[in-house]
Amino acid sequence: HLYNKIRENINQFIKKNHYTAIFTISGGILPFYNLLESEYDEMMKRTDFSLNTAKKRGRNRYYIFNEQDYQRFLHLKDISDVLHAAVIHDFRGFSVALQPLVKAGCRQPFGAETLMRFSSGQFGTISPAEFIPILEESGLIIPAGRWIIREALQACKKLRETIPDFQVSINISQIQIEKSDVIQDISAELENAKLPPEALIVELTESALLEDNSNARHFLKELRKAGIRLALDDFGTGYSSLSYLNGLPIDTLKIDKSFVDRVMTDRSTRIIMESVITMVNKLGYETIAEGVEEEEQLNYMKEIGCHIIQGYYLGKPMPGDDLEKLLQEMAKREGK
């Protein structure tokens, strides 16, 4: 009630002054029992948390303290501290997993997607869905991004001893595009690994591709100039309008796992999937189906013209040494 009264008076003041100054009021509210149970320092931390949460949720609103939200905030802060320490200490706890990319109709991988993994003594293995957003919000994605580019290309160099044309794909964050010279990082690591541009595929989400700013446009232009292929990741989870595909310099479209999961049980999904793949193929792009976990899904995706398959059915994410052994075993079987 107090917050609403203050906000109403401010709105009247702004209106009375003919909108010469416009500002908002955000409120963090701590229930009275929290004040009684908390020491002063803890009370101030909870108050700050409540106010900052109101601001993060869009400002000009209030937020009433919630213990579950606060404990989640503290948990993420602890993970952030651990990530900072790991980056400072030569990326201790970070590792790379490679998930095979397989051409439809062939069981031998021709490439792999590079996936970042992280574990610590305090938390054990942390899901990328949890630590990647923290890396992005803190800016640590920039040094961590450079690290994974280097690791991916060094792994690719080693795997090319078994399969000469092996390729790796890496995910690039919008933060890297906006706040670092990621093209220079990629070029330097390609040169360091003595690899040609075609050894690398860069994956971007729709939000990064559609970002209309000079950094994004420069990145796409330089990527094309360098001869590095571009994949649109997670197609089907965002805006996903086919109308913009023709205007973007992409080479590959990755159909999100959520579509693949439903394709055998939902008729509407099958109709959409078949239409998308037909149209994308006519535009001259390759298609990758993510998250293929069953033979039935694999056979269907091959039948409707999907070029590349990725998923647990053909290979889980694994360390580079394990993938190298797998490729060598496959090469020996083919030799026989």
Side-chain angles (χ1 to χ4, degrees):
H1 175 75
L2 176 61
Y3 169 85
N4 288 333
K5 188 175 180 181
I6 294 170
R7 181 172 164 181
E8 182 182 340
N9 286 339
I10 286 176
N11 287 339
Q12 288 176 357
F13 173 82
I14 292 171
K15 191 174 180 180
K16 184 178 178 181
N17 286 271
H18 306 290
Y19 300 95
T20 52
I22 298 176
F23 51 94
T24 60
I25 176 167
S26 302
I29 300 174
L30 201 62
F32 190 64
Y33 66 85
N34 284 115
L35 301 178
L36 295 175
E37 293 175 358
S38 303
E39 296 293 330
Y40 176 79
D41 287 347
E42 182 61 26
M43 180 187 73
M44 293 308 297
K45 288 177 184 177
R46 290 169 179 241
T47 304
D48 286 344
F49 166 75
S50 300
L51 179 57
N52 287 331
T53 300
K55 291 178 178 178
K56 284 180 180 177
R57 293 187 177 185
R59 297 181 180 271
N60 212 30
R61 64 184 65 200
Y62 65 83
Y63 168 83
I64 298 175
F65 178 86
N66 176 278
E67 184 67 33
Q68 190 174 353
D69 289 347
Y70 184 57
Q71 292 305 319
R72 175 66 178 164
F73 162 77
L74 294 177
H75 174 69
L76 294 177
K77 184 178 181 302
D78 288 341
I79 292 177
S80 179
D81 292 342
V82 168
L83 288 168
H84 270 92
V87 169
I88 291 168
H89 293 92
D90 199 26
F91 301 95
R92 181 182 61 202
F94 283 91
S95 62
V96 164
L98 300 172
Q99 184 167 32
L101 297 170
V102 179
K103 293 196 175 181
C106 172
R107 293 287 173 136
Q108 181 166 336
F110 73 93
E113 180 179 2
T114 311
L115 303 166
M116 189 183 289
R117 298 289 185 257
F118 181 73
S119 62
S120 74
Q122 182 177 350
F123 295 104
T125 300
I126 302 173
S127 166
E130 191 165 50
F131 76 78
I132 294 290
I134 296 174
L135 289 177
E136 291 181 332
E137 187 175 336
S138 64
L140 290 172
I141 194 65
I142 293 173
R146 292 191 187 106
W147 175 84
I148 201 167
I149 291 168
R150 180 170 64 253
E151 294 292 315
L153 293 176
Q154 289 300 323
C156 182
K157 180 181 181 179
K158 196 172 181 184
L159 290 164
R160 281 191 163 217
E161 294 173 8
T162 303
I163 298 182
D165 295 328
F166 198 83
Q167 304 162 9
V168 290
S169 68
I170 55 170
N171 293 274
I172 296 296
S173 163
Q174 190 171 328
I175 304 297
Q176 290 171 270
I177 295 172
E178 291 178 359
K179 297 185 178 180
S180 71
D181 194 345
V182 68
I183 284 287
Q184 184 176 325
D185 295 336
I186 291 170
S187 299
E189 293 303 335
L190 278 169
E191 186 177 344
N192 187 42
K194 302 291 189 291
L195 289 173
E198 54 267 25
L200 180 64
I201 303 166
V202 165
E203 295 189 20
L204 293 175
T205 59
E206 290 178 37
S207 58
L209 272 171
L210 294 175
E211 189 70 22
D212 187 21
N213 62 47
S214 58
N215 288 332
R217 288 192 295 272
H218 173 74
F219 176 79
L220 294 175
K221 180 182 175 183
E222 292 301 309
L223 203 67
R224 180 61 66 185
K225 189 193 297 184
I228 298 168
R229 286 180 300 154
L230 178 63
L232 172 59
D233 195 15
D234 297 338
F235 184 82
T237 59
Y239 180 61
S240 298
S241 170
L242 290 172
S243 63
Y244 67 69
L245 291 179
N246 198 39
L248 292 172
I250 66 171
D251 303 283
T252 304
L253 184 143
K254 298 190 74 173
I255 298 167
D256 188 69
K257 182 182 184 299
S258 59
F259 264 60
V260 176
D261 286 343
R262 301 193 304 270
V263 78
M264 302 312 303
T265 57
D266 184 71
R267 180 174 175 271
S268 297
T269 300
R270 285 198 300 277
I271 292 170
I272 293 169
M273 182 81 80
E274 290 171 18
S275 300
V276 166
I277 288 181
T278 298
M279 186 176 294
V280 170
N281 287 350
K282 286 182 178 179
L283 287 170
Y285 306 148
E286 282 188 321
T287 49
I288 299 178
E290 292 185 290
V292 173
E293 297 180 353
E294 301 169 1
E295 186 172 6
E296 191 179 18
Q297 292 173 332
L298 171 64
N299 292 334
Y300 174 75
M301 298 309 299
K302 285 160 56 176
E303 182 185 323
I304 64 173
C306 186
H307 300 100
I308 299 166
I309 309 297
Q310 178 181 356
Y312 277 29
Y313 185 73
L314 293 173
K316 294 182 179 181
M318 63 187 81
D321 290 344
D322 290 353
L323 181 56
E324 184 181 11
K325 289 175 187 174
L326 177 65
L327 295 177
Q328 288 171 350
E329 289 170 5
M330 288 181 168
K332 285 177 185 176
R333 287 199 295 269
E334 285 191 3
K336 292 177 181 179

